[in-house]
Amino acid sequence: MGIINPLKYFMSKKVGLALGSGGARGLSHISVIRYIENMGIPIHKIAGSSIGAIVGASYACGTIEKLKNDALSITRKELFSIFDLTFPTSGLLKGDGLIRFLEKYIPKDALLEDLPVELSVLATDYYSGRSVIFNKGPVLDAVRASISIPGVFVPVPYRKTYLVDGGVANPLPVETVKMMGADLTIAVNLHPGLKTSGFDRFLGALMDRKGFNLYSDDRYFAGEAPSMNVVNVNDSPAYAYKDGMSSGSEHWFSEKKKEGVDAPNIFEIMLQSIDIMEIANTRNILVHNRPTVLIEPELLNIGTLDFDSIYRIITEGYRACSKVCRKLNRRVKVWF
């Protein structure tokens, strides 16, 4: 009579990877995947929003190493050729140039249902605000919908609606990968906080504009929630921070420019607003859907379109994994 292995049941556990949205920062997903592979942890299922969909699709198509090498060697001129400006009706960029670029890593005829790794790609229904999850059909079409950053890329028509960036409704698809049947989940959060530092220089250069620093440095979005008091201003309730920030409306609406601070340009306002929204959504997601292991690359000074900082981005992906290596070993690798 053979020896019964009591762990046989647990050995069938499936690992799911939730790859969050975050523009250029999402190239850190590449190093996260490589780190996990080098640990001997299998990846059975992937759910990706926006840049997470690109990296997830590249991994499932077996071209992630080529994507990494090309990203590290790409020139600024090549980057400009990818982003094709159009008359700004519903977006600044048509996205055709980006699709031609992605065809080097995602074959035109690749179907989601045929991939060796189960992949779900998330987009957002423009009218309803709900997530649209693609798990069948052309991979490239699903990815194009998932990366439609509002105001930047023209949205994708779909049935009787339009699709925009997957990160708008779900910037960290932990719940999606659990719904796919993952028992153990590893999530990569690209929105652990918000720090302004002249971001999106690439888009500013593309549009031949100078980038401006935003002056807000709210500790809540930098990862620390400031305590608040309720005070009265002219018998009207208002909130004021304990650290002495003015609660009067004149502080916020004064026409006088803050000393030594430039006003943000239109592109910074647009992309920073999206980041703020995604941070808030991500915090809510993590309250209700905690992953088995959470990986958070520290890329606060990298903007959505800072594709000229790729080496730093990829390096930070490895560093973030090393910080949670013990958790990966204790909570995930132990089952394999």
Side-chain angles (χ1 to χ4, degrees):
M1 182 176 177
I3 299 175
I4 299 176
N5 182 2
L7 294 178
K8 184 176 181 180
Y9 167 77
F10 298 106
M11 297 297 285
S12 64
K13 285 185 178 291
K14 301 296 183 183
V15 177
L17 191 58
L19 302 179
S21 62
R25 296 183 291 265
L27 291 175
S28 60
H29 291 322
I30 296 174
S31 41
V32 169
I33 288 175
R34 284 302 186 218
Y35 193 100
I36 291 171
E37 281 188 323
N38 290 338
M39 288 186 67
I41 297 173
I43 300 172
H44 303 104
K45 304 170 187 292
I46 298 176
S49 284
S50 198
I51 187 69
I54 292 178
V55 176
S58 176
Y59 174 73
C61 291
T63 58
I64 193 169
E65 194 65 22
K66 176 175 173 55
L67 175 63
K68 183 188 78 171
N69 293 335
D70 288 353
L72 288 169
S73 62
I74 196 168
T75 65
R76 199 172 184 83
K77 183 178 180 180
E78 290 172 321
L79 276 173
F80 284 168
S81 69
I82 293 173
F83 293 90
D84 44 0
L85 292 172
T86 186
F87 183 78
T89 52
S90 55
L92 294 172
L93 308 176
K94 291 185 291 185
D96 295 344
L98 182 56
I99 288 300
R100 287 192 295 272
F101 175 76
L102 292 178
E103 285 176 353
K104 296 189 291 184
Y105 317 102
I106 307 171
K108 288 183 180 180
D109 59 351
L111 299 176
L112 286 163
E113 58 267 36
D114 294 337
L115 296 175
V117 177
E118 187 178 350
L119 174 68
S120 288
V121 174
L122 283 78
T124 301
D125 186 317
Y126 172 76
Y127 289 113
S128 72
R130 297 176 180 173
S131 284
V132 177
I133 303 172
F134 291 97
N135 48 39
K136 292 183 179 180
V139 181
L140 207 54
D141 289 350
V143 170
R144 172 61 182 88
S146 185
I147 61 175
S148 299
I149 303 172
V152 177
F153 287 102
V154 173
V156 173
Y158 176 72
R159 297 179 180 175
K160 294 183 179 181
T161 186
Y162 288 89
L163 301 179
V164 295
D165 194 286
V168 172
N170 194 338
L172 189 61
V174 180
E175 182 181 13
T176 303
V177 81
K178 288 181 179 180
M179 290 170 56
M180 293 166 67
D183 305 292
L184 305 167
T185 54
I186 302 170
V188 186
N189 175 24
L190 302 177
H191 296 285
L194 180 69
K195 187 177 179 68
T196 60
S197 59
F199 72 110
D200 297 307
R201 297 181 300 274
F202 173 76
L203 184 56
L206 179 65
M207 300 299 296
D208 195 26
R209 297 175 63 98
K210 177 183 177 183
F212 296 95
N213 290 339
L214 298 178
Y215 54 78
S216 173
D217 192 17
D218 191 319
R219 288 179 296 158
Y220 176 85
F221 288 105
E224 177 185 353
S227 55
M228 305 179 76
N229 274 345
V230 177
V231 299
N232 289 321
V233 179
N234 297 327
D235 297 323
S236 176
Y239 286 99
Y241 292 117
K242 284 182 178 179
D243 61 9
M245 293 178 63
S246 171
S247 59
S249 59
E250 67 275 5
H251 174 78
W252 301 106
F253 299 110
S254 172
E255 293 182 1
K256 183 179 179 181
K257 190 171 96 172
K258 290 174 69 72
E259 184 178 353
V261 178
D262 290 318
N265 63 39
I266 186 173
F267 307 116
E268 290 179 316
I269 291 173
M270 179 173 61
L271 294 171
Q272 185 82 335
S273 298
I274 293 172
D275 274 352
I276 292 169
M277 172 195 65
E278 292 189 346
I279 289 171
N281 285 344
T282 299
R283 287 172 181 256
N284 185 57
I285 287 168
L286 291 175
V287 167
H288 300 286
N289 280 289
R290 292 292 299 183
T292 308
V293 177
L294 180 64
I295 300 172
E296 296 184 313
E298 294 181 7
L299 295 168
L300 295 181
N301 292 326
I302 301 295
T304 302
L305 297 178
D306 281 349
F307 287 97
D308 52 355
S309 302
I310 293 173
Y311 179 82
R312 178 186 167 191
I313 292 169
I314 291 178
T315 301
E316 174 55 28
Y318 285 111
R319 197 191 73 80
C321 288
S322 66
K323 290 177 64 176
V324 297
C325 182
R326 292 182 63 184
K327 288 184 179 179
L328 286 169
N329 271 311
R330 187 171 67 252
R331 300 181 184 180
V332 180
K333 189 178 179 181
V334 68
W335 301 114
F336 300 96

